[in-house]
Amino acid sequence: MQTDVLIIGGGQAGLAAAYYLAQRDIPYIILDKGKEIGEVWKNRYDSLTLFTPRNYSQLPGHFLIGNPNEYPTKDEIALALKQYAEKHQFHIRLNTEVLSLIRKNDEFQAETNQGLFTSQHVIVATGPFQKPFIPPLSNNLDKSIKQLHSANYRNLDDLNKGSVLVVGSGNSGAQIAVELAGSHRVILSAGHRITYMPLSILGKSIFWCFDKLGILNAPSDTRLGQIIRKRPDPVFGLELKQMVKSEQIISKPKAEKVENHTVYFTDGTSVEVENVIWATGFRFDYGWLHIPNALDEHGKPIQQKGISPVNGLYYIGLPWQTSRNSALIGGVGIDAAQVVKKIYSHYNLTTI
């Protein structure tokens, strides 16, 4: 099947791209390997709540129902994405996994489990959460210990009785640790000192403050953007800080070695655990992208503000694509509008 623009990925980034393409009457098809729109969000842990309020968690042309200053759940976002796609009647092929993408005879060819798709332009919108990363030291844990990546954890019923080590100090690790502290002995291992940010200041969302101060959308190539980018992401909300202070959650530095049931930390201490949740992030996985000059030696996209050196190849939804906001649901629309504008400028030249 042939189209003008092929969008790989039907999450928030892909849908935002479709929105702007439709506004300019540019034919497109979204390919998504999921069974339904919003599936990735639905499959995250049950208690997941966004740290961005509703008015900073919206897609272009779509508003979340409810108090704009309160925080949506993952199921609310999943439903919103599905409703967004239905409202705009986006052209989506579900259950369609891209197995390889090549460029041949000045067109892109995407081989999928549903056949071949060709196009003049491709937008890769697979997002930053592609392949869960678990450190190799996990292999030395006793087989009886329950190990889960945060991407596969759903709720406390997934775990064995006994203590839980949460490895990773991002917002997912923080939320999971706080949730489990009510039923398990929880140890949190962080590779760096955790910075905490309140969700609100004087009744205003911290993201409202970031927006007004120019921090939220500070361009990645400016001095302010570079300063922010060098710092570890903060944990939003103060629940974890309070629980660590009261020793409801035991704080440990980086885990450096494991043997059977025992985990050793860089400060010389150790604990015995029955469960480990690896909130250790994700790695890019572009094993299907077989185009010269598209990826660097580490397998990461070569791009500037979403534009690849490969003519006709674009990205949306990458961390720090243009700003800190690029990988957040409320920020993909800004980048999508710019990428589609670039496609439109080429599209006019080739269709006149």
Side-chain angles (χ1 to χ4, degrees):
M1 177 170 288
Q2 198 278 333
T3 187
D4 287 19
V5 182
L6 201 60
I7 303 171
I8 301 175
Q12 56 262 22
L15 297 181
Y19 175 84
Y20 286 112
L21 287 167
Q23 283 195 328
R24 294 182 182 269
D25 294 322
I26 301 176
Y28 68 89
I29 296 174
I30 298 174
L31 304 181
D32 192 272
K33 64 182 180 181
K35 296 179 182 178
E36 61 178 329
I37 294 298
E39 182 176 272
V40 171
W41 283 97
K42 286 182 69 175
N43 288 339
R44 297 298 304 277
Y45 55 95
D46 294 348
S47 62
L48 173 59
T49 300
L50 275 67
F51 51 77
T52 49
R54 289 189 181 92
N55 56 346
Y56 283 95
S57 306
Q58 298 174 147
L59 288 169
H62 188 81
F63 299 92
L64 296 177
I65 298 172
N67 187 331
N69 298 311
E70 292 181 351
Y71 303 88
T73 66
K74 56 102 176 181
D75 289 334
E76 182 179 344
I77 295 297
L79 178 59
L81 294 181
K82 190 172 184 178
Q83 291 173 337
Y84 187 62
E86 292 171 350
K87 174 183 176 181
H88 295 286
Q89 298 183 326
F90 293 140
H91 306 300
I92 303 170
R93 293 295 187 94
L94 295 170
N95 300 299
T96 305
E97 181 177 4
V98 175
L99 306 175
S100 72
L101 179 71
I102 64 172
R103 186 169 174 80
K104 185 176 181 182
N105 299 329
D106 293 327
E107 72 173 7
F108 293 96
Q109 298 183 359
E111 186 65 48
T112 79
N113 60 336
Q114 302 293 336
L116 183 68
F117 292 80
T118 63
S119 65
Q120 295 301 310
H121 306 271
V122 169
I123 297 174
V124 179
T126 49
F129 307 121
Q130 295 174 15
K131 186 177 181 180
F133 171 72
I134 296 179
L137 59 83
S138 64
N139 297 323
N140 296 327
L141 286 168
D142 189 90
K143 299 301 181 184
S144 66
I145 293 176
K146 184 75 171 186
Q147 296 191 63
L148 291 170
H149 190 274
S150 58
N152 305 115
Y153 167 77
R154 296 293 175 270
N155 53 55
L156 59 88
D157 292 336
D158 292 337
L159 303 179
N160 295 330
K161 293 180 180 179
S163 60
V164 183
L165 172 65
V166 179
V167 181
S169 55
N171 283 279
S172 291
Q175 282 193 5
I176 291 170
V178 167
E179 176 185 27
L180 292 177
S183 57
H184 292 70
R185 178 174 179 258
V186 176
I187 304 99
L188 178 70
S189 170
H192 57 81
R193 183 177 180 180
I194 301 175
T195 301
Y196 297 94
M197 288 279 186
L199 286 173
S200 62
I201 297 176
L202 298 175
K204 293 289 188 180
S205 162
I206 190 70
F207 279 83
W208 180 89
C209 298
F210 287 167
D211 192 11
K212 299 306 178 185
L213 291 171
I215 294 173
L216 184 60
N217 291 298
S220 56
D221 55 1
T222 63
R223 180 170 175 78
L224 177 59
Q226 290 170 0
I227 290 172
I228 299 168
R229 190 172 185 176
K230 288 178 181 178
R231 297 177 178 176
D233 281 346
V235 167
F236 291 97
L238 302 178
E239 294 92 343
L240 176 62
K241 183 178 183 179
Q242 294 163 354
M243 287 188 168
V244 168
K245 185 176 181 179
S246 65
E247 297 187 347
Q248 290 176 271
I249 293 174
I250 306 302
S251 178
K252 293 290 184 181
K254 184 178 180 179
E256 65 175 354
K257 186 175 70 171
V258 299
E259 290 179 357
N260 298 321
H261 284 262
T262 306
V263 180
Y264 298 87
F265 304 96
T266 54
D267 63 352
T269 62
S270 63
V271 296
E272 290 196 358
V273 297
E274 284 69 48
N275 304 275
V276 178
I277 295 178
W278 300 99
T280 41
F282 297 77
R283 296 293 183 267
F284 287 126
D285 184 7
Y286 293 103
W288 48 270
L289 185 52
H290 306 303
I291 298 176
N293 303 317
L295 305 173
D296 66 16
E297 65 272 19
H298 304 294
K300 295 182 179 180
I302 300 172
Q303 55 83 32
Q304 188 170 19
K305 297 183 178 180
I307 301 171
S308 166
V310 178
N311 187 35
L313 180 64
Y314 306 89
Y315 299 89
I316 300 174
L318 295 175
W320 284 100
Q321 180 168 309
T322 60
S323 72
R324 188 192 186 283
N325 208 17
S326 289
L328 300 180
I329 191 169
V332 292
I334 297 172
D335 291 350
Q338 293 304 309
V339 165
V340 170
K341 183 179 179 180
K342 186 72 173 179
I343 291 174
Y344 185 68
S345 66
H346 288 291
Y347 189 75
N348 274 350
L349 291 174
T350 58
T351 56
I352 291 176

